[in-house]
Amino acid sequence: MVVNNPWTWGLGRRKKAVARVRIKPGSGGFIINGRPMEEYFPTTQSARAAGAPLEATESGPNYDIFANVRGGGITGQSEAVSLGIARALKTINPATFEVLREQGLLTRDARAKERKKYGRRGARRGFQFSKR
């Protein structure tokens, strides 16, 4: 049995944030956790980062985007949404692969918080040295 499903999924991660993105052909709606993107990402920097793959492929008004994001902060969440959208666009139209790869939008940013080590104040910072 073949089901005609209009949705294409993309998973994006950044730091502690995980974004599950669904894309379907539509009129350009952008909903994140049930709220419009402009309301969810209040800064223009985070909104621009989330919509970067649509801007790079010039396909913003052609798709409706629904994203569920959990964990992390605003920056991590916006970049996780960006990766999820890029992966979904690549699945829909393989011709966009080169453009997305050139812009660095298909690369998972593996940087995360470094753990605190014993004998130190933080991940790298030691305690203040006192001679006397």
Side-chain angles (χ1 to χ4, degrees):
M1 181 170 134
V2 177
V3 177
N4 190 7
N5 190 356
W7 296 104
T8 303
W9 288 84
L11 181 73
R13 292 190 185 98
R14 172 74 170 100
K15 294 184 175 180
K16 293 282 186 179
V18 178
R20 293 174 307 181
V21 180
R22 292 181 302 159
I23 292 182
K24 73 172 183 175
S27 59
F30 204 136
I31 306 294
I32 300 173
N33 288 354
R35 293 162 42 194
M37 183 184 65
E38 298 80 22
E39 185 183 316
Y40 193 81
F41 292 133
T43 63
T44 55
Q45 180 183 0
S46 56
R48 188 175 291 128
L54 298 171
E55 206 171 292
T57 58
E58 297 171 358
S59 58
N62 301 336
Y63 296 105
D64 286 335
I65 297 165
F66 296 89
N68 289 322
V69 190
R70 296 283 178 262
I74 292 173
T75 301
Q77 287 187 353
S78 66
E79 293 181 16
V81 168
S82 173
L83 180 59
I85 292 171
R87 285 178 171 172
L89 285 174
K90 180 190 70 161
T91 305
I92 290 173
N93 185 3
T96 60
F97 175 81
E98 289 298 324
V99 176
L100 294 168
R101 175 61 72 198
E102 274 178 24
Q103 301 275 331
L105 296 169
L106 289 172
T107 305
R108 194 318 196 175
D109 194 346
R111 294 177 296 167
K113 185 171 178 167
E114 191 174 337
R115 78 172 205 82
K116 182 198 175 297
K117 279 78 169 190
Y118 57 86
R120 296 191 168 271
R121 237 180 68 189
R124 298 186 180 202
R125 171 99 160 85
F127 292 104
Q128 185 170 352
F129 176 74
S130 174
K131 200 166 194 176
R132 286 174 189 74

